[in-house]
Amino acid sequence: MANLKRYNEKRNFNKTKEPIGKIETSPNKLRFCVQHHMARREHYDFRIEWKGTLKSWAVPKGPSYNTMDKRLAVEVEDHPLSYRNFEGTIPKGEYGGGIVMLWDEGFWEPLGNPTKDFQNGSIKFVLYGSRLRGRWTLVRYKEDNWLLIKEKDNVFLYNNIEEYTTSIKTGRTMEEITNGTKPIPKNSKKLGIVEGVKISSPDKVIFKNPKITKMDIVMYYKKVAKRMLFYTEKRIISTIRAPEGIKGEIFFKKHLDNKNNGVGSITIPSEKGKKEDYYFLKDISGIISEVQMNSFEFHIWGSRVPKVDEPDVFVFDLDPDEGMSLKKIREGVKDLKSILDEIGLVSFLKTSGGKGYHVVVPTHKLKTWENARDFSQNIAKLMEVKWPDKYTSNIRKEARKGKIFIDWIRNTKGATSVAPYSLRVREKPRISMPIKWSELDKVKPDGITMDMAIKRLKRKDPWEGFYDVN
């Protein structure tokens, strides 16, 4: 109890609902949390689990993703591990009196030896939260005064900490916590509500030409969700995030950090035996909540949960050399279809939203990822042999001079392809859109805008019968 003596001495548990301090441990991973604390002075409490307690720092300005910021973090008394679940009001006059809101939670991974690092005053670690992720450092510079600094990596989830004003646990604002009420929908510029999911910064401009806001993207996915989910539901996803829009930092995300009920999780061992958490979409709220977290482009596996080792869809991405004419690209699609037709496989066509097309084949005949890889590679090699001046199965850039690379590598375990109806996070905001085979010569690979995609929903699904063939 020695580590929590100061904590218990500072509190009257007959007046405050904070948990009584006792040493605890959590199984497996080390936990962390951040609590927004509106006390005498507003601050953020940053807490990481170590040896049965939460090591704690008060960060007046809160964590910053700007690697140039060195945020003051004042070390305070250790807190009990159960404190990570505390949210509510500490009575006025009591120690820390004010409102406490759970701002973020998750797991942390030390990079080094924490026991020595705490003593030496320099702790490097990785955070796996919903709002805080990536590599961080805590460094002591004077007695209890430390600095919390974001390390340089590809993770950037917000520009201003004030973008997040609600509890990660209950969805309540500070005011709602004070009043003991449930979240109240607000029609304001700072917050939008779609399908029960709160959208922060709805007016943030993601694409400038044409101007497309975060809410525009939310409304697009809301309209296409029914069609999109038919092809993406229960498939492990990865997303491309652009927190500051197309001109800002963009990164690829494939691990779970979304607490929404519309998103499910699954743990899969890697080739090295390490267990990794992946996630998948359950319903429309899963899509919208991902967009809320600035994930605008969706990629999917070729298998479904829980049978992740049994692929039922494989994809050929026709990736042309730079400057290749659209006529030759379309010839490549037709040649590929002719081979698939010859072996009795029904295939479907979609635009990539980029410079090529995707040919998609649903089938339950392959059974394993090894079979899917070998089969699709053999198709690519067959095209390479049949038309050596037109196609290559070799991924190397120098091998595709004047040719189309028939990308078969997407048909391996863990590989992904852009989902049908997904927006592409590129200079031009375009959609990877299912189209009819008869439209191949009419629709360009980057020819479908968000507005066009929505209008096309009135038409018959061009992929009707998708799961009933092959």
Side-chain angles (χ1 to χ4, degrees), residues 190-297:
K190 285 193 175 180
L191 189 67
I193 308 295
V194 180
E195 297 299 322
V197 177
K198 294 190 174 185
I199 309 300
S200 61
S201 306
D203 296 326
K204 182 189 290 181
V205 176
I206 306 302
F207 296 90
K208 291 188 176 181
N209 187 24
K211 181 181 175 181
I212 294 176
T213 67
K214 185 176 180 180
M215 184 56 80
D216 291 331
I217 297 174
V218 167
M219 297 311 294
Y220 165 75
Y221 277 116
K222 181 182 177 183
K223 290 173 181 176
V224 303
K226 185 176 179 180
R227 286 261 183 104
M228 181 175 172
L229 283 166
F230 186 74
Y231 303 105
T232 61
E233 185 182 10
K234 292 188 177 180
R235 295 189 186 276
I236 292 174
I237 63 169
S238 301
T239 66
I240 293 181
R241 285 189 169 173
E244 295 306 308
I246 193 68
K247 296 296 184 182
E249 189 173 10
I250 296 172
F251 58 94
F252 197 69
K253 184 189 78 72
K254 66 177 183 177
H255 295 297
L256 178 68
D257 66 356
N258 189 341
K259 303 291 183 180
N260 188 275
N261 290 334
V263 174
S265 64
I266 183 171
T267 301
I268 301 175
S270 67
E271 291 182 359
K272 296 181 179 179
K274 182 180 179 181
K275 292 183 178 180
E276 297 185 319
D277 292 328
Y278 293 86
Y279 69 124
F280 56 91
L281 299 173
K282 292 182 181 178
D283 55 35
I284 183 174
S285 69
I287 299 176
I288 303 302
S289 65
E290 277 297 303
V291 178
Q292 150 60 15
M293 298 178 76
N294 302 302
S295 287
F296 304 129
E297 180 174 328

Side-chain angles (χ1 to χ4, degrees), residues 50-67:
W50 187 245
K51 292 188 175 179
T53 67
L54 291 172
K55 307 293 290 185
S56 300
W57 291 261
V59 186
K61 293 185 178 181
S64 171
Y65 272 95
N66 186 341
T67 57

